[in-house]
Amino acid sequence: MTISYRYKGLRADGGEVEGRISAADENDAVSQLSARKVTPFELIPDADAHRYERRKARPADRSRFLRQLSTLARAGAPLLTCFDSLIEDEPCREIAEQARLVRADLRGGSRLSASMMRRMPDLPDYAPRLVELGEATGSLPDRLTEVSKQMEADLAAAGEIRNALAYPAFLAIAGLVAVFFIFVAVVPRFSALLANSRGDIPALSRIVLSIGEFAGANAVPVLIGMVVVIVLGVRLVSAPATRRQLTAIAFRMPVIGRFLSAADSARWARVAGTALAAGAGLIDALSLAERGVLSPRRRAGLAEVRRAVRAGAMLEQALRAHTDMDTMTINLVRTGRLSGDLAGILLFVAETGETEARNLAKRVTALAEPLAVAFLAGIIGLVVVSLVLAMSSLYDFDIG
């Protein structure tokens, strides 16, 4: 954990300097200042440290910070003034500390794009590159705005998926609790009732009763095992390699795959269009855009597209040969190339893809809830049917 300190000190030339520094403790702060050839004569914990609302930054914090930075830059404020103002009111400790490091780099003569790449590693790959384009073309405020917009669009797409799956996830958890209760508290009672007639009941009923007996006799270990499996599953899903595999699987699913593909196409088109509008060359724009694509298969295809265009192929021909983009998108790209407004057409493709992704997200929501209910109803119904079969098999009904 780092602590923010205010300091006053003397430089090697005798000049006085003051500022803030983040360190693990007071000794660490003194060591850092000594490395900067500053001898501190006043070092106190930052009185504003308590003002931070949270320590770790969320993706929304990063997009908000860039949005605020673009607003101040658009108003004509110098970058150092922008960072001074934002740091003063930043509610997230991690963002504030990273911003201080960026400000220090700017004071030392570094470019904003290079400092962001080094000091803010959690930003999307396209963010520092678009900022670099803005620095090269004198359109930094516009590029910062476009980065924040793209990050907000990515957050919105992820939020739509989370919202679509939140209720089904709740149903799944509630269903697991209900099934656990049935096997621990209900099935063992039937098992005791049918203990003398186990050989006369159907195989399905015997399996269910055996599971119930085991769960009832080992309720605590079973519960602990379920918790351990869930925790391990969460950690496994959090691993980058597993997430890449799950992402590849999700892209092949019927409805979710279409949603992800539409969102991916929109993201690619927006970043490429934005880069072209900022004055980047076509190859640079394609290289930048492919970094924001989630699908490993499509990213590999777009890399082939970039190589084909560099070799002299038309963009729409390369897209048709190496990607699974739909015909309408490819035709629009061709129209943009022929009309000389490829950037504008790509931004239009992005808006169209984002609209399609939102509509598909609604379909995911509409399908996920009944599927979750049907799945849970099937499990509970299977248990109930097995118990009913077990009871009814003990009696012979002579009708007629």
Side-chain angles (χ1 to χ4, degrees):
M1 178 178 178
T2 59
I3 302 172
S4 180
Y5 291 90
R6 292 181 182 272
Y7 70 87
K8 291 183 180 180
L10 297 175
R11 296 193 299 265
D13 59 0
E16 187 173 319
V17 63
E18 64 178 272
R20 288 190 182 94
I21 189 170
S22 297
D25 53 32
E26 188 170 322
N27 292 332
D28 184 30
V30 172
S31 298
Q32 291 187 42
L33 291 172
S34 298
R36 301 180 188 178
K37 301 186 183 306
V38 173
T39 303
F41 58 81
E42 182 178 326
L43 184 65
I44 57 175
D46 193 345
D48 292 334
H50 67 278
R51 67 182 171 84
Y52 296 115
E53 298 175 4
R54 55 191 164 275
R55 180 183 175 188
K56 297 295 292 181
R58 304 171 301 186
D61 292 321
R62 299 185 182 94
S63 64
R64 170 189 50 75
F65 181 84
L66 290 180
R67 170 72 70 176
Q68 293 172 335
L69 179 61
S70 68
T71 301
L72 291 175
R74 191 181 294 277
L79 273 180
L80 285 174
T81 303
C82 294
F83 274 88
D84 288 339
S85 177
L86 293 176
I87 291 169
E88 189 67 26
D89 298 322
E90 175 56 45
C92 175
R93 178 186 290 274
E94 183 180 12
I95 294 292
E97 291 176 351
Q98 290 178 347
R100 289 191 183 100
L101 294 173
V102 172
R103 181 182 61 182
D105 289 345
L106 293 176
R107 289 185 187 279
S110 295
R111 299 173 64 182
L112 177 60
S113 56
S115 182
M116 287 175 65
M117 188 177 299
R118 184 168 61 255
R119 305 300 190 183
M120 296 181 164
D122 293 323
L123 289 176
D125 289 341
Y126 56 78
R129 292 292 305 278
L130 284 177
V131 171
E132 184 180 4
L133 284 173
E135 291 171 329
T137 58
S139 58
L140 181 59
D142 293 336
R143 303 293 81 80
L144 286 169
T145 300
E146 287 156 358
V147 169
S148 63
K149 282 183 178 180
Q150 184 58 50
M151 292 176 66
E152 289 164 1
D154 293 344
L155 287 173
E160 288 170 352
I161 285 290
R162 283 196 300 270
N163 293 336
L165 299 179
Y167 184 61
F170 169 77
L171 290 177
I173 293 172
L176 287 175
V177 172
V179 170
F180 179 76
F181 175 79
I182 289 173
F183 275 110
V184 169
V186 177
V187 175
R189 294 177 180 270
F190 282 88
S191 181
L193 183 64
L194 301 170
N196 297 326
S197 307
R198 186 64 64 88
D200 300 327
I201 61 178
L204 176 62
S205 301
R206 290 198 298 271
I207 293 173
V208 170
L209 292 174
S210 298
I211 295 174
E213 288 176 350
F214 177 81
N218 304 276
V220 175
V222 169
L223 182 59
I224 294 174
M226 290 175 60
V227 173
V228 169
V229 168
I230 292 173
V231 171
L232 291 177
V234 171
R235 290 190 176 182
L236 185 63
V237 170
S238 301
T242 305
R243 294 183 70 173
R244 285 193 294 269
Q245 293 177 357
L246 291 176
T247 299
I249 293 172
F251 269 92
R252 292 195 290 269
M253 297 176 67
V255 179
I256 294 179
R258 286 184 58 194
F259 164 77
L260 293 175
S261 180
D264 235 16
S265 296
R267 187 181 301 107
W268 172 83
R270 182 167 295 283
V271 175
T274 298
L276 289 173
L282 180 57
I283 301 300
D284 290 335
L286 293 176
S287 175
L288 182 60
E290 75 185 50
R291 297 186 182 188
V293 174
L294 295 179
S295 169
R297 178 182 177 186
R298 175 168 288 185
R299 191 184 303 119
L302 289 171
E304 292 297 327
V305 168
R306 175 168 45 84
R307 285 189 278 268
V309 170
R310 179 179 284 132
M314 299 300 178
L315 178 57
E316 66 273 14
Q317 295 173 348
L319 288 172
R320 184 177 289 109
H322 300 290
T323 71
D324 57 353
M325 289 189 181
D326 59 274
T327 303
M328 184 185 74
T329 297
I330 293 174
N331 288 338
L332 284 172
V333 168
R334 180 175 182 273
T335 301
R337 181 183 62 79
L338 293 175
S339 65
D341 187 25
L342 183 57
I345 291 295
L346 286 173
L347 293 175
F348 172 75
V349 169
E351 293 175 0
T352 304
E354 289 163 0
T355 301
E356 182 184 359
R358 284 193 293 270
N359 293 334
L360 288 170
K362 295 176 182 178
R363 290 186 60 187
V364 171
T365 304
L367 287 173
E369 293 180 11
L371 286 175
V373 171
F375 177 73
L376 295 174
I379 295 177
I380 296 174
L382 182 65
V383 174
V384 172
V385 168
S386 67
L387 295 179
V388 171
L389 289 174
M391 295 297 295
S392 62
S393 65
L394 299 181
Y395 301 95
D396 291 327
F397 296 95
D398 188 9
I399 301 177

